[in-house]
Amino acid sequence: MPLSDDDFGFEEEKAGQNLAVLAEALYLINLLLLPGLAFLILAGLWFKFRDSAPLLARQHLRQTTFVSLIGGLLIVVLSGLILGLGGLHWEWTWVTLILYFTCIHSTLVLFGMYALIKAMNGQMWRFPIIGPAIPQPKSASFAAQSSGKNAQN
């Protein structure tokens, strides 16, 4: 039987788990092996599945795409700012730049590995500070409102 576009050859425990794992793996590949190319594949997956994917996959796709963009901006813009302010010939510019790049890049990789673990377990997770919010199920917000826990009471 031929594989469909959304069948990756593995059994899912939760709906969208395979796509979530693929998104997180592409995020790490973008940071570690094939920057740019892996991001293009990730962005293509986001545009293809952003409306049709199950909630788990949609959250991981949204997060990896968004954090890839923000992380890229953090690395490129602030590295350029450090170089622009310090100049190419001052040794402390290079100390600062290497320390900054190493800390930011390592943090993004570490959180990406944790997000991959969460995706492999079929769980949602949000990157601290720069990650997009996890959408709340409509039934949970309705239950909170009907029990009188909203801010209007």
Side-chain angles (χ1 to χ4, degrees):
M1 176 165 73
L3 296 176
S4 66
D5 287 342
D6 57 351
D7 185 7
F8 300 109
F10 299 101
E11 286 293 322
E12 292 183 327
E13 292 176 15
K14 293 187 178 178
Q17 187 174 357
N18 288 341
L19 191 54
V21 169
L22 180 62
E24 297 296 347
L26 283 169
Y27 170 80
L28 288 171
I29 291 169
N30 182 45
L31 282 172
L32 299 171
L33 296 173
L34 299 169
L37 180 61
F39 177 74
L40 289 175
I41 296 169
L42 179 62
L45 283 174
W46 166 246
F47 285 119
K48 181 175 182 178
F49 292 110
R50 69 179 169 194
D51 296 324
S52 62
L55 185 60
L56 176 68
R58 197 174 332 131
Q59 170 61 21
H60 280 277
L61 275 171
R62 187 171 128 219
Q63 174 172 262
T64 54
T65 306
F66 183 78
V67 172
S68 290
L69 290 170
I70 297 298
L73 285 174
L74 279 172
I75 290 173
V76 172
V77 171
L78 291 178
S79 294
L81 188 66
I82 290 169
L83 277 174
L85 292 174
L88 294 173
H89 302 292
W90 193 38
E91 57 275 358
W92 286 107
T93 299
W94 293 102
V95 171
T96 305
L97 180 65
I98 291 169
L99 185 62
Y100 169 74
F101 180 84
T102 303
C103 288
I104 293 295
H105 192 264
S106 300
T107 301
L108 292 171
V109 169
L110 183 67
F111 285 144
M113 291 170 58
Y114 189 74
L116 178 61
I117 291 168
K118 288 293 195 176
M120 292 171 90
N121 286 321
Q123 300 171 351
M124 288 196 206
W125 184 73
R126 177 186 179 266
F127 271 72
I129 301 171
I130 62 173
I134 296 175
Q136 297 298 322
K138 292 179 180 160
S139 60
S141 63
F142 177 73
Q145 288 176 358
S146 64
S147 66
K149 294 181 182 177
N150 60 1
Q152 296 173 350
N153 289 338

